[in-house]
């Protein structure tokens, strides 16, 4: 099973709401990632977890809060977002070797009103 | 982080070979060359990767220049399902970062 699943597929939220995006993989991968992709742009790395610990934070605003409850799950908690945060949020995972390929989920399409 | 440069778009006819170029003149010795593609409304999908030697797999071939400052992704017979944005990426083995370039949008015509 080489699948990364993400829920929900679509999310609409107001600027005062709190919501969470979820990502799951059952490939035994040690690393999990969050990317943000604006329309017609390439994905931009946000966070990396390695062995359930945050290893990379690409200077992401604190209104985005990642969490890795266990080796299979990755959450992204959202609070007080701005309309410019509307984007496709992609989750990915990869195996033990740093040159290993990343497997991406289908993404969550987020709209902030 | 080393950067890649790709043409914005390319076109091909179905069943013809496609050569997608990528320049990465600032590549370092610890950078692997990865290619991913993103079909409409989907997450990126791994295509192929290599370090120094040319590589083949069931999806494509990767030709790497001797000085490693450029590479070419080769789709041997394009199909309509190959229409996508193709990203050439340098991945440093010292960290987990995958930094996407702007990509090449490939159109395939019947």
């Amino acid at each position: 099973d080489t699948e990364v699943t993400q829920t929900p597929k679509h999310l609409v939220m107001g600027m005062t709401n709190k919501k969470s995006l979820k990502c799951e993989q059952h490939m035994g991968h040690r690393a999990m990632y969050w990317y943000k992709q604006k329309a017609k742009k390439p994905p931009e790395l946000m966070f990396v977890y390695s062995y359930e610990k945050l290893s990379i934070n690409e200077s992401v605003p604190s209104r985005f809060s990642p969490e890795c409850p266990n080796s299979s799950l990755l959450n992204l908690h959202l609070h007080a977002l701005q309309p410019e945060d509307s984007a496709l949020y992609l989750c990915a995972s990869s195996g033990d070797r740093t040159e290993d390929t990343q497997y991406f989920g289908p993404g969550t399409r987020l709209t902030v009103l | 982080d080393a950067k890649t440069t790709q043409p914005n778009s390319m076109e091909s006819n179905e069943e013809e070979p496609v050569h997608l170029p990528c320049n990465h003149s600032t590549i370092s010795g610890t950078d692997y060359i990865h290619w991913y593609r993103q079909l409409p409304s989907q997450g990126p999908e791994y295509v192929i990767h290599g370090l120094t030697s040319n590589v083949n797999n069931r999806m494509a071939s990767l030709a790497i220049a001797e000085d490693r400052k450029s590479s070419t992704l080769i789709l041997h017979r394009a199909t309509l399902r190959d229409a996508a944005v193709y990203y050439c990426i340098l991945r440093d083995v010292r960290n987990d970062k995958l930094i996407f370039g702007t990509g090449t949008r490939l159109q395939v015509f019947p």
Side-chain angles (χ1 to χ4, degrees):
Chain A
D1 180 11
T2 57
E3 192 179 20
V4 174
T5 59
Q6 291 187 244
T7 54
K9 281 189 169 53
H10 301 275
L11 178 62
V12 179
M13 60 186 291
M15 289 189 285
T16 58
N17 292 155
K18 283 185 183 182
K19 296 285 185 184
S20 296
L21 309 184
K22 295 185 185 305
C23 174
E24 193 165 0
Q25 58 89 10
H26 294 288
M27 295 176 277
H29 285 168
R30 63 141 183 105
M32 296 186 76
Y33 310 77
W34 281 115
Y35 291 83
K36 173 182 177 179
Q37 185 174 27
K38 302 282 277 184
K40 298 194 185 302
K41 297 289 187 184
E44 295 177 1
L45 183 65
M46 299 175 72
F47 302 104
V48 181
Y49 274 82
S50 180
Y51 296 111
E52 302 170 45
K53 290 195 185 329
L54 183 65
S55 60
I56 296 175
N57 176 343
E58 291 285 88
S59 303
V60 178
S62 60
R63 56 186 185 270
F64 295 92
S65 175
E67 178 197 19
C68 190
N70 61 55
S71 59
S72 300
L73 292 174
L74 185 66
N75 298 322
L76 186 62
H77 302 298
L78 314 171
H79 174 53
L81 294 193
Q82 304 296 310
E84 59 264 29
D85 296 321
S86 298
L88 180 68
Y89 288 84
L90 294 159
C91 175
S93 69
S94 67
D96 287 337
R97 300 176 309 169
T98 47
E99 74 266 25
D100 277 351
T101 63
Q102 290 188 12
Y103 292 86
F104 284 81
T108 293
R109 176 76 58 191
L110 174 68
T111 303
V112 182
L113 300 176
Chain B
D1 301 317
K3 297 279 192 286
T4 62
T5 305
Q6 299 176 253
N8 287 335
S9 63
M10 292 185 66
E11 297 177 353
S12 174
N13 293 318
E14 225 179 344
E15 300 194 2
E16 287 184 355
V18 181
H19 291 233
L20 297 167
C22 181
N23 287 324
H24 27 79
S25 57
T26 59
I27 192 169
S28 72
T30 53
D31 285 332
Y32 274 76
I33 301 160
H34 282 242
W35 284 81
Y36 283 71
R37 71 181 186 181
Q38 189 170 20
L39 280 66
S41 303
Q42 294 188 26
E45 172 189 32
Y46 167 78
V47 178
I48 200 165
H49 78 283
L51 184 61
T52 55
S53 305
N54 295 345
V55 183
N56 299 300
N57 67 21
R58 64 174 181 80
M59 288 180 71
S61 295
L62 177 60
I64 301 173
E66 199 168 332
D67 64 4
R68 300 210 322 129
K69 294 188 176 188
S70 66
S71 60
T72 303
L73 178 71
I74 303 164
L75 307 179
H76 295 287
R77 291 181 68 200
T79 70
L80 296 178
R81 286 163 43 185
D82 290 324
V85 179
Y86 286 79
Y87 294 104
C88 170
I89 301 160
L90 299 183
R91 180 161 186 187
D92 192 334
V93 292
R94 295 171 297 179
N95 63 53
D96 284 321
K97 288 188 181 184
L98 200 65
I99 307 299
F100 285 75
T102 53
T104 296
R105 182 173 298 278
L106 175 65
Q107 290 183 281
V108 181
F109 298 104

